[in-house]
């Protein structure tokens, strides 16, 4: 039995019409994007492609052979022309003359920049020699699940020759680098008719005389592996099911409970963002008899374990008798044990010059009957780590179905994880932004102040959940922010803050999306104005419901999450100048705003011992972008001041002490300050952002 992921054949997407008229580098780009568009061909960021092309040398004007090869970083699926490095082939060949042997292969990376053609600033990757020394014009290196399943089988050499005969060769495990490049060259010289080679525990190399031939060979070889598994791997996946799968709603409910607790336990060094995956491939694995033994073996392809750590943590949860309370109680010990095991692995394998031990927490958490939770420094990394583990699951499924699955030997895994070249790459990474890994929920998130706040927090690296009742505005805000910062960073939930059920479910969605919560910005509001004798009970209640009760309900939910997460928390209320300064003709609004401010003070007191901070920003007269100011409130205010509506902004500006207009971005800046560690020692405070108003001076 095979799932559709492994069962379906890859389609040949090469279009001669499209490729006609393309230069060789353009065809390389075309082929790379086609290959990278299917995760069965290669995982995200994994694999690379190359072409050896004749180019005019900019100095001599002579035609020279140039290697175009995917550079360091990026993904073949989305690579653009500037993602390729270009290097002189004659210089790459000359490097053989200074190579001092396998112990010194890492130093060869330092020579690659000397081979750069045409001042191309794209850094050459560690895999460059693998492409350079294969004596073929077009070379693909992919990490297909179906091929790695062969490569990670105990008898992978035998399987390779059984499936492919002499067409595809086999090379034993060797860490990617200069030496492996020479091995590939030797293989090609000794096997001139071979069309490719399987690298043990790693992946596939294929080649061709034209871009099209290379592409079609890659697809054909992977399809042959897929077909072979279809006929050979016919037993139940992973030796059969030993645990039930919970219903989708129950799986989500369990994940929502586990994620903030795990997050709190592993976020001491850096805040982490979570991802939940309960796809069929994952469920098959986490309900199988082989879950524990296979998970303990760790992953195989170097790309897999670099993203997923050497092995996952299997959470102690029994879907046959679900008792999440027990599981939650056991998590601190389970996580401490994982960390101790990781430290022991580091101690066992470290070398004299190894970098210091990195974060010892697990990335992947497998929950029997429920699914897989991953945590990383940001959402995109958590999501791709999950994708990598799904690749690993597919590999284990194939290998264990036809042979015995073998993970990479521990020392080899360690040498890649703590490779000095890998460490240098990490050191070059830009310093994380001030809110990296933080998760915020902003109510009224689609309106003026709400959206400006989300934008400001996302600028600092936070993940944001926009909560609003205006579905259309919500969709527009999410599109705008995801275009600007990437779709991984923003989610939206429809939330009526006066409904207990809607608030609970909205926060639940936030937990499932990002795995926890650090910041609540309570901002959803309205404004009304009426003389007290004309204030209906309905109008009074509406103000109280949205402003006082609404702020209470979202804060209560945030506090519950903060307490289960045990990592502090941060609440910022957007109140109003009118919460401090009484204003005629708006008693319902002013009273409700005053209630918000007092609620914030009470919560600051209650939360302090758990490092939960609660502060208030008091805006005044923020007209631009505000939905409050688009309705009758604007007309009512204008009428109260006996002026035209378009005179209001100038009126408020002139009324302020600083003679300045107040914009949503100004409020967002104060919210960011209170939500960030810059104000780590402030709680129970009010920051006025009103261009100066003596009436609302705090005292
Ligand atoms: Zn590779």
């Amino acid at each position: 039995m095979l799932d559709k992921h492994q069962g379906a054949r890859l389609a040949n997407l090469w279009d001669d019409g499209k490729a006609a008229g393309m230069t060789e580098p353009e065809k390389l780009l075309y082929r790379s994007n086609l290959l990278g568009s299917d995760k069965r061909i290669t995982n995200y960021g994994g694999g690379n492609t190359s072409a050896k092309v004749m180019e005019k040398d900019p100095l001599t004007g002579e035609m020279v052979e140039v290697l175009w090869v995917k550079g360091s970083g990026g993904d073949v699926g989305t690579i653009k022309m500037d993602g390729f490095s270009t290097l002189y082939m004659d210089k790459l060949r000359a490097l053989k003359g200074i190579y001092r042997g396998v112990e010194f292969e890492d130093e060869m990376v330092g020579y690659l920049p000397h081979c750069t053609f045409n001042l191309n600033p794209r850094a050459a990757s560690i895999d460059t020699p693998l492409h350079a020394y294969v004596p073929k014009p077009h070379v693909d290196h992919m990490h297909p699940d179906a091929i790695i399943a062969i490569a990670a089988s105990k008898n992978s050499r035998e399987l390779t020759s059984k499936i492919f005969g002499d067409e595809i060769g086999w090379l034993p495990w060797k860490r990617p680098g200069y030496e492996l490049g020479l091995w590939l060259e030797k293989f090609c010289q000794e096997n001139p008719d071979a069309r490719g080679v399987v690298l043990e525990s790693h992946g596939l190399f294929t080649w061709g005389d034209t871009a099209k031939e290379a592409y079609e060979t890659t697809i054909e070889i992977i399809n042959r592996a897929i077909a072979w598994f279809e006929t050979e791997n016919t037993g139940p996946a992973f030796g059969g099911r030993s645990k039930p799968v919970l219903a989708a709603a129950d799986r989500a409910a369990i994940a929502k409970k586990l994620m903030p607790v795990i997050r709190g336990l592993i976020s001491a060094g850096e805040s982490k963002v979570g991802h939940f995956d309960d796809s069929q491939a994952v469920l098959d694995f986490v309900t199988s008899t082989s879950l524990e033994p296979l998970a303990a073996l760790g992953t195989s392809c170097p790309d897999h374990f670099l993203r997923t750590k050497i092995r996952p943590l299997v959470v102690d949860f029994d879907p046959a008798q679900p008792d999440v309370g027990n599981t939650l109680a056991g998590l601190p010990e389970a996580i401490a044990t994982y960390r101790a095991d990781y430290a022991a692995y580091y101690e066992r394998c470290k070398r004299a010059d190894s970098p210091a031990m990195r974060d010892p927490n697990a990335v992947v958490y497998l929950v029997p009957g429920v699914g897989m939770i991953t945590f990383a420094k940001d959402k995109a990394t958590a999501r791709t780590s999950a994708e990598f583990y799904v690749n690993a699951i597919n590999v284990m499924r194939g290998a264990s179905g036809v042979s015995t699955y073998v993970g990479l030997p521990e020392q080899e895994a360690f040498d890649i994880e703590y490779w000095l070249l890998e460490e240098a790459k990490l050191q070059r990474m830009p310093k994380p932004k001030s809110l990296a890994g933080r998760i915020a929920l902003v109510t009224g998130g689609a309106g003026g102040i709400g959206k400006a706040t989300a934008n400001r927090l996302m600028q600092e690296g936070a993940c944001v959940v926009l909560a609003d009742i205006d579905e259309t505005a919500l969709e527009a805000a999410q599109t705008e922010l995801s275009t600007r910062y990437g779709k991984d960073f923003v989610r939206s939930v429809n939330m009526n803050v006066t409904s207990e059920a809607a608030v609970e479910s909205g926060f639940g969605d936030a937990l499932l999306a990002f795995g926890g919560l650090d910041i609540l910005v309570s901002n959803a509001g309205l404004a009304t104005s009426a003389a007290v004798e004309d204030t209906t009970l309905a109008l009074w209640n509406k103000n109280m419901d949205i402003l006082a009760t609404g702020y209470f309900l979202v804060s209560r939910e945030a506090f519950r999450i903060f307490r289960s997460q045990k990592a502090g928390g941060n609440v910022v209320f957007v109140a109003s100048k009118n919460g401090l300064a009484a204003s005629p003709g708006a008693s319902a609004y002013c009273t409700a705003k005053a209630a918000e401010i007092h609620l914030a003070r009470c919560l600051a007191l209650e939360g302090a011992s758990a490092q939960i901070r609660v502060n208030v920003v008091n805006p005044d007269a923020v007209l631009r972008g505000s939905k409050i100011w688009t309705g009758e409130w604007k007309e009512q205010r204008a009428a109260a001041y006996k002026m035209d509506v378009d005179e209001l902004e100038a009126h408020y500006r002139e009324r302020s002490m600083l003679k300045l207009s107040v914009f949503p971005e100004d409020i967002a800046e104060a919210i960011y300050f209170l939500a960030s560690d810059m104000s780590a020692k402030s709680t129970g405070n009010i920051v006025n952002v009103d261009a100066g108003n003596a009436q609302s001076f705090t005292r």
Side-chain angles (χ1 to χ4, degrees), residues 46-48 127 130 141-143 176 199 202-203 301-303:
N48 29 56
D127 283 357
L130 280 54
H141 167 46
M142 298 287 123
H143 295 159
L199 305 180
H202 181 169
C301 177
D303 262 25

Side-chain angles (χ1 to χ4, degrees), residues 99-302:
Y99 181 48
R100 297 197 289 154
V102 65
E103 277 96 285
F104 305 96
E105 69 168 343
D106 285 0
E107 73 185 18
M108 300 311 284
V109 175
Y111 292 114
L112 293 176
H114 293 277
C115 305
T116 303
F117 171 79
N118 206 15
L119 305 177
N120 183 345
R122 172 64 59 181
S125 90
I126 288 161
D127 283 357
T128 302
L130 280 54
H131 287 264
Y133 297 145
V134 170
K136 305 283 173 183
H138 302 271
V139 180
D140 289 340
H141 167 46
M142 298 287 123
H143 295 159
D145 293 348
I147 297 287
I148 305 176
I150 297 163
S153 287
K154 200 172 177 184
N155 55 338
S156 74
R157 177 174 210 163
E158 188 192 314
L159 288 182
T160 304
S161 93
K162 198 164 153 188
I163 301 166
F164 302 109
D166 293 338
E167 281 177 73
I168 299 292
W170 179 91
L171 287 174
W173 161 256
K174 177 88 204 145
R175 190 174 72 175
Y178 196 82
E179 183 75 14
L180 183 58
L182 298 180
W183 283 21
L184 282 161
E185 180 179 43
K186 186 162 173 273
F187 171 83
C188 291
Q189 285 161 350
E190 290 171 356
N191 302 277
D193 296 329
R195 301 165 72 199
V197 61
V198 167
L199 305 180
E200 186 186 24
S201 294
H202 181 169
L204 176 70
F205 263 85
T206 34
W207 43 75
D209 290 329
T210 64
K212 182 181 176 182
E213 189 196 323
Y215 171 79
E216 290 183 339
T217 301
T218 305
I219 298 295
E220 180 201 324
I221 297 301
I222 300 170
N223 271 339
R224 254 205 265 171
I226 291 172
W228 187 81
F229 277 105
E230 265 177 30
T231 48
E232 296 296 317
N233 190 14
T234 50
F238 305 111
R241 177 166 288 176
S242 64
K243 303 165 191 80
V245 178
L246 296 185
D250 297 333
R251 298 199 295 269
I254 300 285
K256 284 176 207 172
K257 290 211 167 82
L258 294 177
M259 289 174 89
V261 176
I262 296 174
R263 180 170 187 260
L265 288 166
I266 63 170
S267 288
E270 66 175 1
S271 294
K272 297 204 169 67
V273 183
H275 183 77
F276 177 60
D277 181 338
D278 59 351
S279 59
Q280 194 56 48
V282 171
L283 290 174
D284 285 346
F285 185 52
V286 299
T287 52
S288 74
T289 48
S290 313
L291 168 63
E292 277 89 0
L294 279 177
L297 291 177
T299 57
S300 179
C301 177

